[in-house]
Amino acid sequence: MKASETTLRSLLQGERQYVVPLYQRPYSWERKDLDQLWQDIIGVVDSGGTASHFLGSVVLAPSPANTPAGVQVWLVVDGQQRLTTLSILLCAIRDHVRGEDARLAEKIDDLYLFNRFADGQERYTLLPTQADRPSWIKLLERAPDAGGTDRIGEAYRFFRKALVTVDDPEDPHDIARIEQAIAGQLSIVEIAAHPDDNVHRIFESLNHTGQPLTQADLLRNYLFMRLPTRADHVYRQQWLPLQELLTTKQLEELVWLDLVLRGDDRATQDAVYQAQQQRLGKLSGEDEIEDWVTELHHKARLFRRILAPETEPDPALRRALDRLRRWAAQVVHPIALLVMTAHHNGHLTAWEATRALRVVESFLVRRMIVGIGTTGTNRILMTLVKELGDVVPTAEEITRALSGPRKKFPSDQLVRDAVLVNNFYWMGRGPQRTFVLRCLEEDYNHDEPIDFANSKLTIEHVLPQSPTQEWRDMLTEELSGDETPEDLHARLVHTLGNLTLTAYNGKLANDGFAAKKKILRDSGMAMNREIADAERWGAKEIRERSRALAERALRIWPGPLDAADDIPIEPRWRKLTEVLACIPAGRWTSYSDVAEVIGSHPVSVGSRLGGSAIPNAHRVLRGSGEVSPDFRWPDPDRTDDPVTVLRAEGVEFDAKGRASAQQRLTAVDLARLADLDVDVPELASKSVD
């Protein structure tokens, strides 16, 4: 066998074909695997071309049927899941850029996906195992029913949505940089077997390997190799106590944080051993190595306080750390450790450190309320550490840095506007939504604080998600124009003004407002008693409460400097594109379902789809399953019937031109496909498969 390091570009270029043998399992990567690969790739892209990512090995064997002429066929003995996933991603990039960058789309076809001058199945650079080939070939050939609900289709739609999320309209080259990173910056070890090797025996041995060394193991081994005379002393006094404070994963993160705090904002957690080894290699003598281990031990104690705030002795700082922990976002760790280090070194008092951490919290909460996705947040907060440099990280300095260009720190007015229209219930993750509502309740300054930890509170929709006729009648009183009660309900039900916390979610259910008032009035929570004081609960009351909660939120979470770049309240249109990218072939949805997910109105959704080139827009129909009479293709030269297109994709229509109700995706289905954190207990058993 022969092993060599290569890139995906080198692997795929040329007259070659990679065939996955029958004994391999079908394509099986799940959402978590796709997300991890995507984050690794984005980390490489963010490095500006200076970093690479080791993807693993691909074991290949020449096909016995090869001849000196024609396409050279290689059997993929190991690594087929990674190779297939990367090919799906390249296919998604091709389709994403086809309208804007036809040259890049053609390049991807010619270099990575097709053998241009071959015939039949030899045209395809990759041939997955037989069970996956029909789905894969549909993607390659851009068939109408490509991107279905199988694993190949799921992976394709995952990447289509991910590309929409990161595609910056102000940066014409961002998608091309992703293609370059995939093709040239992912390191792969190509292991080529000899024609006489037993390929199946190789496959069996590769799948019976032992537990690999972690990056923490490698770093420890390297350090103590550099300490020939002091290893025992340093291990007992520094490394062992450090190791007992943290898990292996936390230790690896700490070693990465050490690089970030030293100004390396390009450091990636998957290559932390190599980066630290390179830096430590410049240290001379055992004294400097020991000093670094001692310093890392100090940082471990501070990092432990971030992970376990109950270990922080100062009450105010403990509460600030606990709030960040409850927010449950690892992206805060670099700036939090910088603040804690400044406090430990005497540059910040506990009160000043608390204020600094609250600015970071404000930045995250405001972005979530406004609907700005989390993509890029990690880069912003990593770069923040470098931008601050040697400046003491006070609240004022952090606010100044986060108010800079392209940071997207939402202003007060943007928060006010967003609270009225945004679908808060599907923003962020469930614990973050609960966190915001809990903080709003705590701002009432109870004489007897609520025991949130043991009260088993959940989020309650006052106007229920499934309204009864009584609720629909109430909404009918406030309709305007051609609006229906269902339209108004969809616009109001998930907004912040309609949500509260209660331990009686099951009892409240879909009851009328009079029945709900009795339970809410007896609540220990001030916000519930305020709701119970209302005479009715319709659009007017929900919007008034939204405005009041927005003002309370602005007091809790301070905003950017006045000079900060403001951003238009348009995240819903980006979310619209993300949601539609997730609709599989053979399924359809309605304008009202899309409107409910993104926090808009069905008419606005229709207008947007009619005036923009958005993938899968033809899969959005009227609630009855009919094509809207106002539907127009964005391309004025396109005249084909959308019903014909949908039928070719697998959607069934009756004699009256109505799509099958069984193939409709509800708002909840769309939210789940788009990876929104959906919590709808009464619909939990429904599936989009």
Side-chain angles (χ1 to χ4, degrees):
M1 299 179 71
K2 179 182 177 182
S4 60
E5 187 171 356
T6 187
T7 63
L8 191 68
R9 178 186 292 119
S10 299
L11 197 67
L12 297 181
Q13 282 186 205
E15 293 285 295
R16 310 177 83 187
Q17 184 179 60
Y18 299 96
V19 177
V20 180
L22 277 171
Y23 55 77
Q24 292 273 26
R25 61 179 174 170
Y27 182 69
S28 59
W29 269 28
E30 299 178 352
R31 192 64 58 92
K32 59 181 175 57
D33 305 307
L34 301 171
D35 185 65
Q36 182 60 60
L37 175 64
W38 179 250
Q39 295 306 322
D40 291 338
I41 291 170
I42 293 302
V44 171
V45 174
D46 287 343
S47 73
T50 62
S52 62
H53 173 71
F54 178 61
L55 196 63
S57 62
V58 176
V59 181
L60 307 170
S63 170
N66 278 340
T67 63
V71 174
Q72 295 301 296
V73 178
W74 292 84
L75 304 180
V76 184
V77 181
D78 192 56
Q80 64 111 341
Q81 300 286 332
R82 293 186 296 274
L83 190 58
T84 303
T85 304
L86 290 171
S87 298
I88 294 170
L89 173 51
L90 287 168
C91 200
I93 294 175
R94 177 199 67 179
D95 296 344
H96 179 82
V97 303
R98 184 172 296 277
E100 302 293 330
D101 192 345
R103 186 174 181 180
L104 177 57
E106 185 178 355
K107 170 188 171 183
I108 291 172
D109 268 347
D110 288 350
L111 294 186
Y112 311 130
L113 299 178
F114 289 93
N115 291 310
R116 186 176 181 182
F117 300 106
D119 297 318
Q121 288 202 338
E122 286 190 345
R123 294 178 60 238
Y124 309 125
T125 302
L126 172 71
L127 270 184
T129 193
Q130 277 83 344
D132 293 323
R133 285 182 192 176
S135 180
W136 171 236
I137 291 173
K138 286 177 183 179
L139 283 185
L140 288 176
E141 301 289 2
R142 300 178 61 233
D145 54 346
T149 56
D150 61 356
R151 285 288 170 85
I152 295 272
E154 286 177 1
Y156 173 76
R157 288 183 282 107
F158 172 89
F159 289 127
R160 287 300 302 267
K161 171 183 174 289
L163 289 164
V164 170
T165 303
V166 301
D167 194 350
D168 185 350
E170 299 177 10
D171 185 349
H173 306 298
D174 52 354
I175 303 301
R177 285 196 295 272
I178 293 174
E179 179 267 327
Q180 288 295 312
I182 295 165
Q185 291 176 259
L186 298 182
S187 176
I188 301 169
V189 173
E190 177 186 0
I191 303 174
H194 188 273
D196 295 332
D197 289 336
N198 186 322
V199 175
H200 191 68
R201 183 65 56 85
I202 294 171
F203 176 76
E204 287 181 335
S205 65
L206 286 167
N207 286 276
H208 288 84
T209 55
Q211 186 71 21
L213 290 174
T214 67
Q215 294 194 78
D217 294 331
L218 294 170
L219 180 64
R220 183 192 63 234
N221 295 348
Y222 173 76
L223 285 172
F224 291 104
M225 180 187 70
R226 295 284 305 274
L227 293 166
T229 67
R230 301 190 191 179
D232 288 344
H233 170 76
V234 173
Y235 181 79
R236 287 195 308 271
Q237 297 299 316
Q238 304 297 342
W239 188 266
L240 182 59
L242 180 161
Q243 196 168 264
E244 290 174 343
L245 282 171
L246 306 172
T247 66
T248 298
K249 187 175 181 180
Q250 291 167 349
L251 176 55
E252 290 179 354
E253 184 184 357
L254 175 65
V255 176
W256 169 72
L257 288 169
D258 177 71
L259 291 168
V260 175
L261 264 60
R262 294 177 188 277
D264 186 357
D265 63 338
R266 301 296 183 182
T268 58
Q269 292 192 50
D270 63 281
V272 68
Y273 166 65
Q274 291 90 337
Q276 280 289 13
Q277 183 189 35
Q278 184 178 14
R279 196 189 69 79
L280 294 170
K282 299 174 183 177
L283 302 183
S284 59
E286 293 184 69
D287 286 343
E288 293 188 5
I289 295 291
E290 182 177 354
D291 288 344
W292 181 79
V293 178
T294 302
E295 183 181 347
L296 192 69
H297 184 188
H298 291 318
K299 286 178 179 174
R301 293 186 178 278
L302 298 176
F303 188 39
R304 177 64 181 165
R305 295 182 187 183
I306 296 170
L307 298 171
E310 62 273 13
T311 61
E312 166 56 46
D314 183 83
L317 187 52
R318 182 168 62 246
R319 284 192 295 273
L321 290 170
D322 183 60
R323 290 167 73 97
L324 287 179
R325 179 179 64 174
R326 286 192 279 119
W327 183 255
Q330 189 176 334
V331 295
V332 305
H333 289 170
I335 186 61
L337 186 56
L338 182 69
V339 170
M340 292 296 289
T341 302
H343 169 53
H344 176 75
N345 293 336
H347 302 308
L348 292 174
T349 65
W351 179 76
E352 290 170 333
T354 297
R355 291 185 61 240
L357 294 176
R358 291 297 297 275
V359 173
V360 178
E361 178 189 320
S362 294
F363 177 74
L364 296 171
V365 172
R366 282 185 175 229
R367 284 167 63 95
M368 180 257 206
I369 290 175
V370 167
I372 299 173
T374 57
T375 301
T377 308
N378 185 55
R379 168 58 44 196
I380 291 172
L381 294 181
M382 275 184 65
T383 305
L384 174 63
V385 172
K386 185 174 182 179
E387 288 180 5
L388 291 170
D390 295 330
V391 174
V392 177
T394 61
E396 291 73 19
E397 289 294 340
I398 293 176
T399 301
R400 177 192 57 76
L402 290 177
S403 300
R406 299 175 65 84
K407 295 297 195 301
K408 297 184 180 179
F409 195 169
S411 66
D412 289 0
Q413 189 56 48
L414 195 57
V415 172
R416 292 187 181 102
D417 294 341
V419 164
L420 286 172
V421 298
N422 275 8
N423 183 342
F424 179 82
Y425 189 62
W426 286 339
M427 295 291 185
R429 299 194 300 274
Q432 294 170 343
R433 299 190 289 267
T434 301
F435 173 86
V436 171
L437 287 166
R438 171 176 168 177
C439 289
L440 290 168
E441 175 64 28
E442 289 175 332
D443 189 61
Y444 283 86
N445 295 320
H446 295 269
D447 293 332
E448 297 182 14
I450 296 172
D451 182 6
F452 285 97
N454 298 311
S455 54
K456 298 181 180 179
L457 296 171
T458 58
I459 296 179
E460 160 72 10
H461 291 73
V462 185
L463 169 64
Q465 297 184 73
S466 301
T468 61
Q469 188 60 48
E470 178 183 344
W471 284 103
R472 287 194 288 271
D473 291 342
M474 181 186 295
L475 294 175
T476 300
E477 299 171 9
E478 300 175 282
L479 299 179
S480 59
D482 295 331
E483 191 173 44
T484 67
E486 289 73 23
D487 294 339
L488 183 57
H489 173 268
R491 283 200 290 145
L492 295 171
V493 67
H494 297 311
T495 58
L496 183 60
N498 187 50
L499 304 177
T500 189
L501 292 173
T502 177
Y504 300 103
N505 201 299
K507 289 184 178 181
L508 293 167
N510 296 337
D511 285 347
F513 187 57
K516 288 194 172 190
K517 283 177 62 169
K518 295 177 181 178
I519 297 176
L520 294 173
R521 185 176 290 115
D522 293 335
S523 171
M525 300 183 63
M527 66 166 65
N528 290 344
R529 295 194 297 273
E530 279 189 350
I531 294 171
D533 288 339
E535 292 299 320
R536 62 190 300 280
W537 197 253
K540 177 176 178 292
E541 291 75 21
I542 291 172
R543 288 167 180 152
E544 286 179 353
R545 182 168 181 263
S546 289
R547 294 186 185 96
L549 292 179
E551 295 307 316
R552 192 175 290 276
L554 297 179
R555 291 196 303 272
I556 298 171
W557 294 292
L561 300 178
D562 292 338
D565 288 344
D566 213 346
I567 51 177
I569 185 165
E570 290 298 325
R572 66 177 65 88
W573 299 129
R574 178 174 288 269
K575 184 178 287 187
L576 169 70
T577 307
E578 293 175 7
V579 168
L580 264 60
C582 298
I583 301 177
R587 307 301 292 269
W588 65 278
T589 190
S590 72
Y591 295 100
S592 59
D593 289 315
V594 174
E596 181 175 347
V597 175
I598 70 171
S600 184
H601 188 279
V603 174
S604 301
V605 170
S607 299
R608 184 74 179 184
L609 295 181
S612 305
I614 300 177
N616 297 337
H618 65 287
R619 295 175 182 172
V620 184
L621 308 175
R622 300 173 75 179
S624 61
E626 298 168 290
V627 175
S628 169
D630 298 324
F631 175 82
R632 299 290 183 275
W633 294 108
D635 181 356
D637 296 328
R638 186 171 182 181
T639 59
D640 48 335
D641 184 359
V643 171
T644 302
V645 175
L646 288 166
R647 279 194 171 123
E649 294 176 354
V651 177
E652 299 175 0
F653 284 83
D654 63 17
K656 295 182 178 180
R658 294 175 298 197
S660 168
Q662 284 71 37
Q663 294 175 300
R664 176 178 178 173
L665 297 174
T666 67
V668 174
D669 294 332
L670 291 173
R672 290 196 174 114
L673 285 170
D675 287 331
L676 302 181
D677 191 351
V678 180
D679 180 16
V680 189
E682 65 269 26
L683 300 175
S685 61
K686 295 189 71 173
S687 171
V688 300
D689 294 332

